[in-house]
Amino acid sequence: MTPSEQIAAPYGSWTSPIGAADLAAGGHPVEGGRYVGDEIWWAELRPTEGGRTSIRRSGLDNQPVDILPAPWNARTRVHEYGGGAWTVTESGKLVFSEFSDQRVYILEGVTPRALTPEPALRYADLQIVNGEVWAVREAHAEDGAITRDICAIPLDGSGKVRSIVGGSDFLSSPRLSPSGTKIAWIAWNHPQMPWDGTELRVAPLVDGVAQNYSVLIGGLEESVLQPEWITDDELYAISDRSGWWNIYRVGGKITPICPVNADFGGPQWRFGARWFVELDNGHLLTARTVGTDTLAVLDPASGELRDIAIPGVTSIGLMQVRGDRLLLTSGGAKLAGALREFDLGTGELTEIRSSVEELPESAYLPEARAVVAHGHGREVHAVAYPPRSPRYKGLDGELPPYVAFVHGGPTAHVAPALNLVYAFFTSRGIGVVDVNYGGSTGYGREYRNRLRGQWGVVDVQDVVTAVTGLAEQGLADPARLAIEGGSAGGWTVLAALTTSDVFACGASYFGVAELDLFVQETHDFESRYVDGLIGPLPESADLYAERAPLNNVDGLNCPVLLLQGLDDPIVPPSQAERFRDALVTKGIPHAYLAYEGESHGFRKQSTIISSRNAELSFYGQVLGFTPPGIATLELWKPAISS
């Protein structure tokens, strides 16, 4: 249709071919690609199979084939976020951590065989080293104590697991030196998070056990990532000592290879991430971020950095190199996230497996627009996605409603992306703006540290700055602004609703509602995160109470949607339930949807469909439109007395 032929209809009421069922059935995130012989294997989330993670490869006609059949689930619970849940032996056998019992298995034939003893232990960051499986092991004692170490698991099934090194609250990225006589790894302790302060430790190995480590680089205010050996006496490592995650040569001296104001690194939420890989000629293939990602080749000898253009790509995850071929995950504003192979010689990009089964007509997909807003004396980066449909346009004089998306973490980052969740809203006439508020990564340490001691303040201010900026430009209806987010993003949703009057409503997915009990109930990895975000206890107890949305419900005067997984160990259901009870007490219209079998992030098809349809109905009821074909979500409302 030409613009003159488009149907004028209220924003939010447009019909769309993108339904919640398409988000669930058509979305299957892909990660962790690797070369295995002549094949390419990857991990894939399967919402239609109960949310399990399968290991797959390409079969006939490039159709995916399960290597790991149902009901097996390659997913580890170390740090609860996992990562590095599978690897492959030199003979091409799959080794993986099984979600149901957290044991490590090897697939030989049809039925996997256990390599580790009975449950109570968890394993992540799996890699094959000298015929053993090296892993980060997490032990949970009956009294609640949690310990971690790097261990070696024999492949013979004897179950005689050897501890290589421990000595810190957290460990990651074990690397064996070229001669096999030393081990390098990353270590950190509470209350630091890995983007706050870590150490690169190195120790000699005696009978396969580390002895008397030394710290080569890092500390309480320096985040070090991804050690990789060059020789037995020198390594590459990423450090943010300059204010940006850059690559260093570390040994007798600490030397930056290519100092630039860009991040060759990111937040280590999960195990196994890489930001550089070594090519056959000794050069480093790198991914760096300033808002969006750029692929480049770095010559360690000269420090020369040569960018490699991949049109349309804004996000890059490096997987593995074989000759001139690179496996990477990538995506962009018009390019769905996928596992792809990039030919370094020809520049050809080949899709191996998309995270989206089938894309709708491109005219229904939003067009991303980078936004830089200004407020409170600082820049705020965001990405706006205006409403877009080939069939509809808004009514004359009407401005569209907008939903501000708040990413989790809060130490995380969003780039322009082809995201069907955004399209679910924008194709119906609802704009989306995704905000990299202060505390986000991808803009250097200073931007990341803006949230230090200011959680519930800076994040709220920056989201408000971004969305009101759109309204001030005449792009969004200031009376119809909503906010949604999950986990830490859910905290910002609830904090914004209780401390500002900008938003007409908000949806919190498994969001943090208060802090005193949260820090006691959450998992170990993030149990001291709030020390940096607000302050340590007991000296910051008053701030905990002051910032908690639960304690500020008196300032809330708009409807709220709460969505929660009942098996969530990170933000337990008690957080949402306490906030729900406070809403009832104050008489605020709301809905609370709790999902059995769901954890931190919804994985099941039925849950994804239910939650997104509920969110859309909720916005329609509050913002004044009727989304066609969507069942009405019942909101709790106070009884009206006679």
Side-chain angles (χ1 to χ4, degrees), residues 89-137:
T89 68
E90 294 179 359
S91 60
K93 295 175 181 176
L94 174 67
V95 175
F96 68 98
S97 176
E98 161 59 30
F99 181 71
S100 62
D101 61 10
Q102 290 298 292
R103 299 172 75 183
V104 175
Y105 288 77
I106 185 169
L107 181 60
E108 297 174 314
V110 178
T111 304
R113 171 172 59 87
L115 296 179
T116 55
E118 289 295 326
L121 300 172
R122 305 174 182 182
Y123 303 86
D125 215 357
L126 305 185
Q127 53 189 292
I128 303 297
V129 180
N130 285 350
E132 300 177 307
V133 184
W134 279 20
V136 173
R137 176 172 59 177

Side-chain angles (χ1 to χ4, degrees), residues 396-408:
D396 287 345
E398 182 192 21
L399 291 174
Y402 257 78
V403 181
F405 275 53
V406 188
H407 65 66

Side-chain angles (χ1 to χ4, degrees), residues 47-72:
T48 57
E49 298 175 24
R52 80 178 184 102
T53 297
S54 176
I55 309 302
R56 315 189 87 190
R57 64 173 176 82
S58 291
L60 296 175
D61 299 323
N62 292 321
Q63 291 302 304
V65 175
D66 280 342
I67 295 166
L68 185 65
W72 297 92

